[in-house]
Structures are given as structure tokens and as C-alpha cells.
Amino acid sequence: HLAESGGGEVQAGGSLALSCAAPERTFSSYAVAWFRQAPGKEREFVASITWNGDGTTYADSVKGRFTIARDNDKNTAFLQLNSLKPEDTAVYYCAAKYFRSSTSLADYEYWGQGTSVTVSS
């Protein structure tokens, strides 16, 4: 249901902009989150945004560097990654759940296939 794009390779300190496109017209009723999974590690929460965009939550590790946003008219969510570090290297997934946002992976119903981000030192 969800399709991520925008991943790639970048040097430390660089930036990337990820997008998450949803085909459903009801996208505006869903909270969206980004998770990431580094090689050999569990998938972890990165950021979430409420259904109407008026509330955001970030993991401590990305606070001040990443920004989550959404455009309900375009059924798209975004994750701006700035000041990237090698430890940000991971596959980034967007996920959606009805109405209320959450930081818990288990709460999300719909997932994308992921987009890879590699940060070199």
C-alpha cells in the first residue's frame, strides 16, 4: 500500500529527503511513522506524525536532525534527514495506522518495502 523513495548513499553530514506515497484516498485519516532497520539490528522507531499533521514525535537519536511532514492532498508523507551520521545507515520504512499515531511497531497496519540509506564516514 505504501511506497518509499529517496534513499541513497551520502557522506556524513549530508542530507536526504525520503517520501512515502499512499494510493488510498483515506490517507488523511491515518497516522504515519518512519522506522528503520540497520543490518543485524531490530527495526526501530524514527518519527511519527498525526493524521492531520499537528503532532510529531521523534526518537531521541534523530531529534533536531530529522523532520517528518505530510501532504494529505498528495497522499504523501516525508522524512527529511539532515546532518546524517554513519549510524543512520539502515533501511527506512514508512508505516500507517488508522487515526492515532504511535511509536510502537506492532501498532502499524500498513508498511512499505523500504528504501536504503547509507551514510559513509
Side-chain angles (χ1 to χ4, degrees), residues 5-28:
S5 61
E9 296 185 17
V10 64
Q11 290 188 330
S15 298
L16 284 172
L18 307 184
S19 297
C20 172
E24 288 84 6
R25 292 177 296 169
T26 56
F27 176 75
S28 60

Side-chain angles (χ1 to χ4, degrees), residues 8-66:
E9 296 185 17
V10 64
Q11 290 188 330
S15 298
L16 284 172
L18 307 184
S19 297
C20 172
E24 288 84 6
R25 292 177 296 169
T26 56
F27 176 75
S28 60
S29 299
Y30 286 76
V32 174
W34 289 89
F35 292 81
R36 67 185 181 186
Q37 188 166 17
K41 295 187 177 181
E42 294 185 351
R43 196 169 299 188
E44 65 176 4
F45 171 78
V46 175
S48 65
I49 188 166
T50 55
W51 64 275
N52 60 358
D54 69 351
T56 57
T57 304
Y58 295 92
D60 288 342
S61 59
V62 306
K63 201 170 293 183
R65 300 188 297 122
F66 292 7

Side-chain angles (χ1 to χ4, degrees), residues 3-10 14-21 34 76-81 84 90-92 94 114-119:
E4 303 95 337
S5 61
E9 296 185 17
V10 64
S15 298
L16 284 172
L18 307 184
S19 297
C20 172
W34 289 89
T76 304
F78 308 95
L79 186 67
Q80 178 66 39
L81 289 65
L84 282 162
V91 177
Y92 284 71
C94 69
T115 186
S116 179
V117 171
T118 301
V119 184

Side-chain angles (χ1 to χ4, degrees), residues 53-111:
D54 69 351
T56 57
T57 304
Y58 295 92
D60 288 342
S61 59
V62 306
K63 201 170 293 183
R65 300 188 297 122
F66 292 7
T67 303
I68 189 171
R70 67 187 297 158
D71 183 340
N72 285 345
D73 290 338
K74 297 182 179 179
N75 291 339
T76 304
F78 308 95
L79 186 67
Q80 178 66 39
L81 289 65
N82 295 330
S83 302
L84 282 162
K85 305 175 181 180
E87 51 263 43
D88 294 319
T89 295
V91 177
Y92 284 71
Y93 299 88
C94 69
K97 67 178 295 294
Y98 182 69
F99 196 50
R100 295 188 184 278
S101 62
S102 169
T103 62
S104 174
L105 181 152
D107 288 341
Y108 284 83
E109 306 163 71
Y110 303 103
W111 291 84

